[in-house]
């Protein structure tokens, strides 16, 4: 396990402490790393209209776009679980990005021109798994599909 992956997970777990998740009780944090080592973080933010809540990954990707640009993204870490009253994040299962967030990471991978690494961790941080976005969303529908259709339109 690379030190950077572990450090990035620590940042994601710290971000989860600032999640706003009163409805699900499931706090998620995400940390996005740039090619020069800058880090942007985000957490999930729910609201009373349940389905309109924002995931941690979207929150962090948006922060990353502002901080250094989607094109610089090399790695993303995600962790989540139950935030105990003593401030500790718990949970045994690895948290992988939901389907919608995988699509957003795929878009960032297109902008960055690289297969972004995704580090999934469980809430207590005891387990990590490194994957690539291409493994998490195989046969993904992306910008290349749209430009391919444009070419066909143009008779190419
Ligand atoms: N959640 C995330 O923030 N990221 C994911 O990839 C999975 C789910 C949030 C959404 C909701 O606020 C809570 O976790 C429970 O689904």
């Amino acid at each position: 396990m690379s030190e950077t992956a572990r450090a990035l997970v620590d940042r994601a777990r710290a971000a989860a402490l600032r999640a706003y998740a009163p409805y699900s009780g499931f706090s998620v944090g995400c940390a996005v790393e740039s090619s020069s080592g800058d880090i942007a973080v985000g957490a999930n933010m729910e609201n009373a209209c349940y389905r309109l809540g924002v995931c941690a990954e979207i929150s962090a990707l948006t922060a990353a776009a502002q901080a250094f640009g989607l094109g610089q993204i090399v790695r993303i870490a995600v962790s989540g679980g139950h935030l105990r009253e003593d401030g500790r994040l718990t949970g045994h299962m690895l948290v992988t990005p939901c389907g919608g967030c995988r699509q957003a990471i795929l878009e960032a991978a297109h902008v960055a021109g690289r297969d972004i690494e995704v580090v999934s961790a469980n809430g207590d941080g005891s387990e990590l798994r490194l994957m690539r976005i291409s493994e998490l969303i195989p046969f993904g529908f992306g910008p290349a599909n749209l430009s391919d259709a444009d070419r066909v339109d143009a008779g190419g």
Side-chain angles (χ1 to χ4, degrees):
M1 186 63 55
S2 85
E3 269 311 302
T4 328
R6 162 51 64 189
L8 202 61
V9 164
D10 289 344
R11 293 292 298 270
R13 293 185 68 241
L17 305 188
R18 288 183 290 274
Y20 177 72
Y23 303 105
S24 70
F26 194 81
S27 299
V28 184
C30 178
V32 178
E33 186 180 5
S34 79
S35 52
S36 35
D38 294 324
I39 292 173
V41 299
N44 54 333
M45 180 178 167
E46 300 178 348
N47 66 67
C49 183
Y50 297 164
R51 70 186 180 86
L52 296 182
V54 177
C55 282
E57 294 90 327
I58 303 299
S59 159
L61 284 168
T62 303
Q66 293 300 312
F68 43 76
L70 297 176
Q72 301 305 312
I73 297 176
V74 292
R75 186 184 282 149
I76 293 177
V78 189
S79 176
H82 176 65
L83 187 56
R84 289 194 338 193
E85 282 200 357
D86 64 4
R88 277 175 46 90
L89 192 65
T90 63
H92 295 116
M93 274 184 77
L94 290 178
V95 174
T96 54
C98 76
C101 290
R102 292 178 195 202
Q103 185 74 36
I105 298 167
L106 185 70
E107 188 76 23
H110 171 81
V111 176
R114 60 174 75 86
D115 197 4
I116 292 175
E117 189 170 30
V118 179
V119 186
S120 282
N122 55 359
D124 64 24
S126 61
E127 209 181 309
L128 271 61
R129 180 166 172 162
L130 273 59
M131 286 167 283
R132 298 271 169 192
I133 188 58
S134 60
E135 296 173 68
L136 285 168
I137 186 165
F139 299 101
F141 178 84
N145 293 95
L146 300 178
S147 48
D148 173 64
D150 285 346
R151 276 198 299 276
V152 173
D153 259 358

